[in-house]
Amino acid sequence: MFARRLVATLALLFTAGPASAQPGPQLLTIFPTGAKAGSTTEVTFAGVGFDGDEKLLFSAKGFTAERVGVATTDPKAPKGAPAASVKFKVTAPKGFGGTCDVRVVSKSGLSNPRAFAVGSDTEVNEVEPNNDVPQAQKVELDTTVNGVVSAPTDVDFVTFKAKAGQNVAVYCLTTSIDSRMQAGLMVSDAEGRQLASNRNYRGGDAALDFKAPKDGDYTVRVSQFAYTTGGPDHFYRLTITTAPRAPATFPPVAEEGAGLASWPLAPSAAMVDLFEPPAREGTPQLVTANPIVTDTGTNLTAAEAQLVKVPCDIAGRIAKKGERHWYSFAAKKGDVWTLEVFAERIGSPVDAYFILTDEKGKVIVEQDDGADTLSPNQFYTKSDDPGRYRFAAPADGTYKVMVSTREAAVQFGPRDQYVLRIAKEKPDFRLAVMPLTPHVPDAATLTAGGAVALVVYAFRFDGFDGAIELGAEQLPREVKCPKQVIGPGQTRGVLVLTCEKPAADFDGFVTITGTAGSLKQTARPFSVTWPVQGQQANQPPPNSPVLTRMDRGPGLALAIRGTAPFVLTPTETSFKVKGGGKFDVTLKITRDTSFKEPVAIYVATPGFGPRPQGNQPFPVVGTAQPNSTEIKLNIDVPANLPPGTHTLVLRGQSGAPTPKINNSAPRPLPNFAVTPLTVTIEGVPKKK
């Protein structure tokens, strides 16, 4: 009965009106998804929550955008489809090549990013009808077609002329530009003979090349694989070019010194230091401080093992059917080495594994898929690459490592690369920062006088388990970052940025950092790409991976818009408590004169406070009634938290109006963070 009353209360809370705070805009699609460098293109931005006076924020410099008219709303939009749109004339800078991120900024704040690609080819948009060969859209070579597979059975045809012996490459970008489409690509000649086909080149992208057998017309067929899905979120960029194609960069490893990748890595690769690959394709290069060794190709048996001097990074590739590469290295008793193979994480299709043996061939370990993941959904870091292995040499001698793939009998070629790293332990960490909402595209928007909470994931390796102090740089003058930490051994924390009042509007990029003694790392920003359908805004996502990728740009995108309707201020900010215990927190509530709603209080830091039951909404720890000026909360402390300093973040949530377009995509509810609380764990209670 109580549970039903609580759900009903929350339902009233979240539909109460009028609300004093609106969720920020959500950007779902843009079309066309790119432009030619130096040109001006009219682009339609579609999503939900556009509330007037929209502008654009690009992750790269030199772009300009002029709004065309005002945002419009479609009350008959299909469920989950964009319900609002606004047009801009976008001018791409001359000389720019590659992909950047673009966001919509409105009165209510900042949207999630979408990819916008810029090239040097002629740009055209798909023209319907183009659903059969006789209707194929005619284009010239060196052209990019921006299109959409609008329904599961929608098939698009494009035709072009080529001369005998001419090399032609065809790329269909989908996943790499945030599309949900899994492209199927096929090229045929004028007689209908298939010359080349491809799918699953990298994610949903497809790529192929062929040599024209004679002068004549050639046709490209684009479809959604298996014809299972389609819609406005199935957009693509089809490029037909005579430019040379380089499907792989070898070796896929390079010395330190160049800038790290800013392309949209998945969480599985996010904590690896990589150089950026070419704009259309290519293998990103792993950054290393170790000497680089190249596979000789003659090390196919244990007896032929290639002797290497460690530490080193060994670049290899499964070039022929069934290859197994062997390496040997010398180690002294008690030496500790880490062994790690990178393949999927550097864009290779190889599902690698390795075997470590002693000199006599006795297997010490066989290492396959890594088991670690920092999150079951929002930041899913599990990879097909073998897990990192700590090897303590049991005796002086020579040890051997075999690297291959389970599919070596059918999967091999120039793209099937890997890097085997054998190195000394180097305790360290990497950080990722993203909006708090775990299953809906969101962004960091601050209100004057308010605060915003962000989730920070910490990837720890080689035994590093110390506390990480979080910080921020390049902040606007009114924005502050209170002292806060990710506690010892913890892989997730919450960062709060606060904003003084009054504050000028701002939209730009800031840098989030983590420091542990002499170690300092810059957090890499991430965003959820697509919402999980059928989930309530305040409901935990299912335990399955959510589409998430790294943002492009100089840092975390941040906006300041509006004024906080209420502020929650703790009367104390520092607490000492035993693990598994409880403590009381008192929050003062300062309200805007027009704000008359209740405020639900939640725990933002995982582990503290009540836990959700199954897939039910997050439980409240207290509700401040409309006329209250203070609320007292009793907070549970996890029994498994290690002794040391930890940061606890609470958040308040006010009622948000039910969207007028009930079929629109799920949106995050506005949250208002509390000044971080420092909790010192003094120890675990003794067992009775």
Side-chain angles (χ1 to χ4, degrees):
M1 179 65 73
F2 174 76
R4 290 197 296 270
R5 289 176 180 173
L6 176 60
V7 171
T9 301
L10 291 175
L12 290 172
L13 171 65
F14 297 142
T15 57
S20 56
Q22 302 286 340
Q26 190 180 87
L27 180 57
L28 297 177
T29 66
I30 62 176
F31 191 84
T33 53
K36 185 176 181 179
S39 68
T40 298
T41 306
E42 186 169 281
V43 183
T44 299
F45 295 77
V48 288
F50 298 172
D51 53 19
D53 199 29
E54 280 78 19
K55 58 180 289 190
L56 302 180
L57 174 65
F58 286 88
S59 64
K61 296 181 179 180
F63 287 84
T64 61
E66 177 187 354
R67 191 173 70 248
V68 179
V70 296
T72 59
T73 300
D74 179 8
K76 297 182 180 180
K79 186 174 183 179
S85 63
V86 62
K87 294 182 179 180
F88 284 86
K89 289 183 179 179
V90 175
T91 302
K94 293 181 179 179
F96 184 88
T99 305
C100 66
D101 276 350
V102 61
R103 299 168 183 261
V104 171
V105 190
S106 72
K107 293 179 181 178
S108 57
L110 186 67
S111 82
N112 57 289
R114 277 290 177 259
F116 189 77
V118 178
S120 57
D121 298 322
T122 300
E123 296 263 343
V124 299
N125 293 341
E126 173 197 5
V127 177
E128 293 279 4
N130 59 351
N131 303 320
D132 204 348
V133 174
Q135 300 173 322
Q137 182 174 347
K138 295 180 179 180
V139 300
E140 301 292 328
L141 284 171
D142 300 313
T143 296
T144 294
V145 181
N146 296 281
V148 179
V149 170
S150 56
T153 55
D154 184 16
V155 178
D156 295 338
F157 288 88
V158 175
T159 185
F160 61 94
K161 292 184 180 294
K163 295 181 179 180
Q166 197 166 27
N167 289 303
V168 180
V170 184
Y171 305 90
C172 187
L173 301 186
T174 58
T175 300
S176 58
I177 56 170
D178 298 334
S179 172
R180 280 181 156 166
M181 180 175 165
Q182 301 289 315
L185 195 60
M186 186 179 74
V187 173
S188 58
D189 63 14
E191 286 73 38
R193 290 186 292 263
Q194 179 178 325
L195 302 178
S197 64
N198 183 254
R199 65 180 181 88
N200 294 337
Y201 183 81
R202 183 167 298 135
D205 292 359
L208 58 82
D209 60 80
F210 71 99
K211 180 179 287 188
K214 61 181 179 180
D215 292 0
D217 293 334
Y218 295 87
T219 302
V220 178
R221 182 183 190 274
V222 180
S223 64
Q224 161 66 29
F225 174 66
Y227 314 105
T228 53
T229 56
D233 51 5
H234 283 54
F235 45 86
Y236 63 85
R237 278 176 65 81
L238 177 70
T239 298
I240 305 169
T241 178
T242 56
R245 180 183 177 212
T249 303
F250 190 84
V253 61
E255 296 178 354
E256 292 179 321
L260 296 181
S262 60
W263 64 307
L265 298 170
S268 61
M271 301 296 100
V272 179
D273 296 338
L274 298 170
F275 292 152
E276 195 157 2
R280 286 193 178 119
E281 61 173 332
T283 306
Q285 292 179 296
L286 184 67
V287 178
T288 184
N290 302 318
I292 299 172
V293 177
T294 303
D295 167 44
T296 62
T298 60
N299 53 347
L300 304 181
T301 67
E304 301 170 306
Q306 179 179 342
L307 179 63
V308 297
K309 184 179 179 179
V310 292
C312 64
D313 277 28
I314 306 167
R317 54 183 159 192
I318 310 300
K320 297 179 181 179
K321 181 177 180 179
E323 284 191 349
R324 294 157 62 92
H325 295 166
W326 287 87
Y327 306 94
S328 64
F329 66 97
K332 293 184 178 297
K333 182 178 180 179
D335 283 353
V336 176
W337 296 95
T338 61
L339 280 72
E340 189 168 14
V341 171
F342 303 86
E344 180 195 28
R345 291 173 293 171
I346 58 172
S348 171
V350 169
D351 181 3
Y353 73 103
F354 72 84
I355 297 174
L356 174 66
T357 75
D358 63 16
E359 194 167 5
K360 296 180 179 180
K362 181 181 178 181
V363 174
I364 297 172
V365 69
E366 181 173 337
Q367 202 77 342
D368 208 327
D369 297 355
D372 293 338
T373 182
L374 296 183
S375 165
N377 36 65
Q378 183 182 23
F379 199 68
Y380 190 74
T381 56
K382 184 174 173 57
S383 166
D384 286 341
D385 289 350
R388 193 183 189 103
Y389 180 69
R390 183 181 188 271
F391 171 56
D396 292 0
T398 299
Y399 297 87
K400 297 183 179 182
V401 185
M402 189 282 295
V403 181
S404 189
T405 168
R406 303 295 186 187
E407 291 80 33
V410 294
Q411 177 75 53
F412 51 89
R415 294 183 61 227
D416 292 66
Q417 305 183 91
Y418 64 85
V419 175
L420 167 62
R421 175 171 291 171
I422 306 175
K424 287 290 188 181
E425 286 188 306
K426 186 180 179 181
D428 209 336
F429 66 93
R430 297 292 185 271
L431 298 176
V433 59
M434 59 191 307
L436 193 64
T437 309
H439 61 292
V440 176
D442 199 0
T445 298
L446 266 170
T447 52
V452 65
L454 303 158
V455 61
V456 181
Y457 290 98
F459 182 82
R460 302 169 179 267
F461 50 88
D462 287 351
F464 175 76
D465 63 356
I468 302 170
E469 183 172 340
L470 301 176
E473 300 171 359
Q474 285 83 48
L475 295 175
R477 178 178 55 83
E478 301 91 347
V479 179
K480 309 297 179 186
C481 179
K483 184 176 180 179
Q484 45 205 302
V485 300
I486 298 177
Q490 303 301 294
T491 57
R492 177 177 170 177
V494 178
L495 172 71
V496 172
L497 299 177
T498 64
C499 185
E500 297 175 346
K501 186 179 179 180
D505 284 355
F506 168 84
D507 45 82
F509 298 89
V510 301
T511 301
I512 305 302
T513 63
T515 305
S518 61
L519 301 175
K520 183 176 181 179
Q521 297 292 344
T522 297
R524 300 166 185 180
F526 276 75
S527 295
V528 172
T529 310
W530 290 99
V532 176
Q533 298 294 332
Q535 294 290 119
Q536 299 178 36
N538 195 47
Q539 186 176 11
N543 283 334
S544 58
V546 173
L547 290 176
T548 308
R549 57 94 161 167
M550 190 167 81
D551 300 347
R552 301 172 178 89
L556 173 75
L558 177 73
I560 302 174
R561 288 293 189 277
T563 303
F566 64 90
V567 177
L568 300 171
T569 307
T571 57
E572 295 180 70
T573 59
S574 184
F575 302 87
K576 291 184 178 181
V577 62
K578 294 184 181 295
K582 297 185 177 185
F583 64 99
D584 294 326
V585 176
T586 300
L587 300 179
K588 297 287 186 181
I589 306 172
T590 305
R591 301 171 181 268
D592 184 271
T593 54
S594 62
F595 180 72
K596 305 296 183 182
E597 298 173 11
V599 177
I601 313 297
Y602 298 86
V603 174
T605 305
F608 285 89
R611 296 184 178 183
Q613 299 298 314
N615 203 33
Q616 296 302 308
F618 289 104
V620 296
V621 292
T623 300
Q625 299 305 319
N627 296 323
S628 62
T629 59
E630 181 179 288
I631 184 171
K632 293 185 178 181
L633 308 170
N634 187 250
I635 307 295
D636 296 324
V637 177
N640 60 352
L641 268 189
T645 300
H646 299 261
T647 296
L648 168 64
V649 174
L650 303 172
R651 62 181 178 89
Q653 194 163 278
S654 68
T658 302
K660 294 180 181 179
I661 309 300
N662 291 322
N663 284 340
S664 62
R667 298 176 65 192
L669 294 173
N671 289 298
F672 300 88
V674 178
T675 302
L677 308 177
T678 299
V679 180
T680 302
I681 305 298
E682 295 183 315
V684 179
K686 294 182 180 180
K687 294 183 180 180
K688 295 182 179 180

